[in-house]
Amino acid sequence: MNEKFSFKKLIQLYEEIISVNHRTEIARELRDEDDLFLFLCLSETLGLPNPAYYYTLELYPYMLEKFHEWHLRMGMDKSPLTGFRCC
Amino acid sequence: MSAIWLAVIGTVVFILGYRYYSKFVAEKIYRLDPNYVTPAHEFRDDVDFVPTNKIVLWGHHFTSVAGAAPIVGPAIAVYWGWLPALLWVVLGTVFAAGVHDFGTLVLSVRNKGQSVGTLAHKLIGKRAKILFLFIILILVLMVNAVFAWVISNLFVKFPASVIPVFIQIPLAVWIGYAVYKRQKKMLIPSLIALAVMYLAAIVTSRVPALQIDLVSYFGGEEAVTLFGLNGVSMAFFVWIIILMVYCYIASTLPVWKLLQPRDFINSHQLVVGLGIMYLGLLFLNPDVTAPAINPAATDKSWFPLLFITIACGAISGFHGLVSSGTSSKQLNKETDARFVGYLGAVGEGFLALISIIAVVTLFANAGDFSAAYSSFSAANGGGLGNFINGGANLASGIGIPADIAMTIISVIVVSFAATTLDSSVRLMRYIITELADEYNFKPLTKPHAATSFAVIASAALVLLPKGPNGFGSGGYLLWPLFGTANQLLAAISLMLISIWLKRLGRNYLVTFVPMVFLLVMTVWAMIQQVVFEWSGLGATDMNLLLFVFGAIILVFALWITLTAMLELSKRSNLNK
């Protein structure tokens, strides 16, 4: 409450107010796109041939962080991959 | 009497309601705890559950619930005079809508951010959830039909508003592209869009060639066109088909491409519209020319019809869907619920208040008012047009010429109605999918199939009732059904809050009394209309469509009343 008033902050607040209505839906749409991308990257491990596996392999360390939430979202309580250390 | 007094009375009661009544409810009934870990923190995923500043969340709640409905209802209900409408809007907001919006928010926060439908399942049983989904389905179907009619009606009556409204679509697509693909800030593009729209409104108001008047294109009101329809019927038919095609596209596109940027523009329009009219009211200081109680309103009794004619603006079940669907998942602190929920309802009360003021100051004298509001069906058909003329009259107080103000106000109302329409088609698609999943009916679980079903059913519903201007112009007949479904939904939400409060051993009268009131009004109004008006048993002919829908709503209302009584008595036995 004691924060100094600034016009910039006011505009930020206003922008947030008018964008918050669809924030959830847009975040969900983006997450769906990410989920599909993650599935494509993991396709080799799931038994589907992936011509770009040489490159996607390099992404695995970064994907590992998102992997647990991804397989939960996909309706699998446990990790479907033996090569991935997860839950 | 100066109309400023109406605004002052409304404002004072709203302030007192927020300052004292909501404080009492927050502290003694809902017992908000500033240390309670809200679902936004407990389940934070940055998609559904995001802790959000209370002012931002209030803005979300207000802009989600403020649409064309709180304008249309009061503009019709002044038929009985301004006093009953004013009292219901002001007292309904303070004692019913406020505790309802606030209560559904708290109930959901205390139950992991679950929606009212899921809570109905949890607190009463599976059948209650299915019943709830069917009521929402009927409600959104009514919303689609009513608002498609509202927009078509405004396009027919105010042809200058067509181009500014349609310009909004490419502008919104451009904003969506600028914000999401080019990472631009949204304020400047949406202000530019608003300026372009209002510039277009000025031009179309003054250049008749740019007014898309379909009735005259088809050769005038009496002309016979395709399928033997007259000019007005054909204009309604064409507009409704165009709107439904638009809805189909808008509700299947990704949100950021059209819906969200349209909402950016419309949020500004809400501010501009309210600003123009309240400022105009101050500068113009018009007199209230309509009677406080209309002695000529004899064809329909205000009791109980007033309470379903004004749904949004006094209390509306749709708010509970917003409170429990999204706001509850984003509440930062439990104590913010009072600000977000109660004040969100108050915001809508202000919109309903200006709608009443605009209409009751429009006419030169009580005689003109009586001529415009000669019967309830005249009020239904012309209420919104009167609001636009009244709003333009208020806007003239700050120097905007009447013809331009009329186009701008109609653009604002159409934009609100269009937002409600496409969001509601989208919502209907989700519900159809959920019900199809529940009953294992695979074809309707697909988005395009569900949307097609939603759009075709809505178009059929709006085109079927016959109005004074023929085919398609009778959409306003659905307004009481829309109001009833909405109030019924509010009654269920209030019942859930009452059951929850009773189980916690708290005083539940603050929600129980408005619940009983709404249920009695809904059942009463429906019996009156279904049995004496639409069934053919009374003085009028049978109206099968309204009779079937009315009967369904009536059965649901009775079912809910019984469920509530059983549930509340069962718990009291347990407590003993």
Side-chain angles (χ1 to χ4, degrees):
Chain A
M1 289 297 278
N2 295 326
E3 275 182 47
K4 206 177 149 191
F5 173 81
S6 83
F7 194 63
K8 205 175 162 188
K9 270 186 197 156
L10 193 71
I11 301 246
Q12 252 176 6
L13 185 75
Y14 186 72
E15 290 226 343
E16 215 182 325
I17 289 175
I18 60 171
S19 63
V20 74
N21 279 0
H22 296 286
R23 184 175 63 190
T24 302
E25 216 164 341
I26 287 174
R28 194 176 292 121
E29 280 174 5
L30 287 175
R31 193 177 63 183
D32 286 348
E33 280 181 20
D34 272 0
D35 283 348
L36 183 66
F37 178 69
L38 214 62
F39 171 74
L40 291 173
C41 291
L42 289 167
S43 61
E44 190 78 12
T45 355
L46 292 165
L48 300 169
N50 175 7
Y53 84 97
Y54 183 76
Y55 303 98
T56 54
L57 200 64
E58 285 187 30
L59 295 173
Y60 277 20
Y62 302 98
M63 283 150 56
L64 200 58
E65 290 171 20
K66 292 181 173 178
F67 182 71
H68 178 64
E69 284 177 1
W70 176 79
H71 78 69
L72 287 180
R73 271 203 301 278
M74 297 299 111
M76 294 172 277
D77 291 337
K78 295 283 173 198
S79 164
L81 307 176
T82 44
F84 258 73
R85 283 202 178 179
C86 190
C87 44
Chain B
M1 185 180 75
S2 165
I4 293 179
W5 282 111
L6 303 190
V8 170
I9 292 167
T11 309
V12 168
V13 179
F14 287 154
I15 291 173
L16 291 176
Y18 178 69
R19 179 73 185 82
Y20 297 104
Y21 190 59
S22 77
K23 189 166 185 267
F24 161 76
V25 174
E27 287 175 1
K28 306 285 181 204
I29 311 292
Y30 298 149
R31 296 184 198 167
L32 303 185
D33 175 6
N35 299 317
Y36 181 78
V37 181
T38 58
H41 289 282
E42 195 179 353
F43 308 110
R44 181 170 186 162
D45 61 359
D46 289 332
V47 175
D48 290 299
F49 297 90
V50 191
T52 306
N53 173 311
K54 70 174 178 182
I55 298 173
V56 173
L57 207 53
W58 173 80
H60 155 71
H61 193 85
F62 177 45
T63 51
S64 302
V65 300
I71 296 171
V72 183
I76 296 172
V78 289
Y79 167 64
W80 293 290
W82 59 263
L83 189 62
L86 181 78
L87 286 176
W88 172 229
V89 163
V90 171
L91 299 177
T93 299
V94 169
F95 293 106
V99 284
H100 168 270
D101 292 21
F102 179 17
T104 41
L105 187 54
V106 177
L107 177 68
S108 175
V109 164
R110 285 279 167 165
N111 287 280
K112 301 177 181 173
Q114 288 168 327
S115 69
V116 189
T118 315
L119 290 168
H121 185 182
K122 196 171 159 185
L123 290 167
I124 305 172
K126 192 182 173 190
R127 225 180 312 168
K129 188 190 171 186
I130 302 289
L131 177 70
F132 192 80
L133 278 178
F134 272 112
I135 292 178
I136 301 176
L137 187 68
I138 288 182
L139 178 67
V140 289
L141 187 64
M142 295 291 161
V143 169
N144 297 343
V146 165
F147 285 98
W149 173 79
V150 162
I151 298 171
S152 309
N153 190 27
L154 290 179
F155 280 164
V156 169
K157 277 188 182 154
F158 302 95
S161 65
V162 176
I163 287 183
V165 166
F166 277 90
I167 272 187
Q168 199 185 15
I169 299 172
L171 287 170
V173 173
W174 166 67
I175 295 177
Y177 180 77
V179 172
Y180 290 99
K181 294 286 175 189
R182 293 291 177 97
Q183 260 71 61
K184 292 250 167 61
K185 291 276 178 197
M186 62 191 84
L187 184 64
I188 303 295
S190 40
L191 287 179
I192 294 173
L194 204 63
V196 172
M197 278 173 68
Y198 291 161
L199 203 65
I202 294 171
V203 174
T204 56
S205 304
R206 294 286 159 92
V207 183
L210 292 175
Q211 299 176 0
I212 312 294
D213 186 2
L214 286 190
V215 179
S216 66
Y217 289 171
F218 291 128
E221 287 185 18
E222 302 304 325
V224 179
T225 60
L226 275 178
F227 317 119
L229 299 174
N230 68 27
V232 179
S233 297
M234 197 62 195
F236 267 102
F237 179 73
V238 171
W239 281 130
I240 286 164
I241 298 299
I242 291 174
L243 285 170
M244 288 301 157
V245 171
Y246 161 74
C247 281
Y248 185 93
I249 298 168
S251 59
T252 47
L253 276 179
V255 184
W256 66 267
K257 280 195 178 156
L258 183 59
L259 273 187
Q260 186 179 37
R262 271 195 41 163
D263 271 10
F264 292 160
I265 306 175
N266 287 343
S267 303
H268 292 110
Q269 295 215 66
L270 181 63
V271 178
V272 169
L274 279 172
I276 286 179
M277 287 187 281
Y278 273 105
L279 269 180
L281 172 69
L282 277 181
F283 285 106
L284 193 67
N285 189 15
D287 278 334
V288 177
T289 49
I293 292 171
N294 184 8
T298 47
D299 66 335
K300 285 270 182 320
S301 164
W302 66 274
F303 190 87
L305 222 53
L306 168 71
F307 304 102
I308 56 163
T309 305
I310 304 182
C312 297
I315 176 166
S316 148
F318 180 72
H319 297 197
L321 301 181
V322 176
S323 278
S324 67
T326 49
S327 304
S328 64
K329 297 182 178 76
Q330 303 181 17
L331 201 70
N332 186 30
K333 279 198 323 197
E334 198 182 54
T335 40
D336 292 348
R338 179 181 160 215
F339 184 87
V340 175
Y342 200 93
L343 223 49
V346 167
E348 190 166 80
F350 273 111
L351 198 55
L353 192 61
I354 198 68
S355 174
I356 295 176
I357 292 172
V359 177
V360 300
T361 54
L362 168 67
F363 302 99
N365 51 50
D368 286 358
F369 173 85
S370 301
Y373 284 86
S374 55
S375 65
F376 187 61
S377 61
N380 263 306
L384 193 58
N386 293 335
F387 165 76
I388 289 171
N389 290 327
N393 179 39
L394 291 180
S396 68
I398 51 169
I400 304 176
D403 57 338
I404 293 171
M406 215 182 286
T407 309
I408 290 180
I409 303 272
S410 55
V411 167
I412 292 176
V413 176
V414 171
S415 307
F416 285 175
T419 307
T420 312
L421 185 65
D422 52 30
S423 313
S424 146
V425 170
R426 208 177 178 85
L427 187 62
M428 191 167 169
R429 173 186 127 196
Y430 293 147
I431 298 165
I432 291 171
T433 312
E434 202 172 333
L435 281 170
D437 262 338
E438 190 76 43
Y439 290 107
N440 219 359
F441 188 67
K442 283 274 182 298
L444 280 182
T445 53
K446 305 273 183 288
H448 285 281
T451 313
S452 306
F453 182 80
V455 164
I456 292 169
S458 309
L461 187 60
V462 64
L463 288 171
L464 285 175
K466 282 200 180 116
N469 288 326
F471 189 60
S473 65
Y476 71 82
L477 294 171
L478 299 167
W479 187 260
L481 281 173
F482 160 70
T484 319
N486 209 349
Q487 302 300 50
L488 201 56
L489 200 62
I492 306 176
S493 303
L494 286 168
M495 175 177 75
L496 294 174
I497 307 167
S498 305
I499 293 172
W500 174 68
L501 288 173
K502 190 160 173 60
R503 286 185 188 178
L504 292 172
R506 294 184 199 160
N507 185 346
Y508 57 94
L509 282 178
V510 288
T511 51
F512 186 73
V513 173
M515 179 201 94
V516 171
F517 181 78
L518 285 181
L519 279 178
V520 170
M521 293 309 137
T522 314
V523 172
W524 193 325
M526 273 298 102
I527 289 178
Q528 209 176 49
Q529 297 202 292
V530 170
V531 180
F532 298 108
E533 284 180 33
W534 300 330
S535 69
L537 294 172
T540 48
D541 291 339
M542 184 183 191
N543 190 328
L544 187 68
L545 185 81
L546 300 184
F547 176 75
V548 170
F549 272 100
I552 293 173
I553 293 175
L554 181 61
V555 170
F556 282 169
L558 290 171
W559 188 347
I560 288 160
T561 313
L562 277 176
T563 314
M565 280 162 60
L566 278 172
E567 198 60 33
L568 287 165
S569 63
K570 188 167 74 187
R571 294 297 145 191
S572 62
N573 288 339
L574 282 178
N575 285 348
K576 278 173 195 169

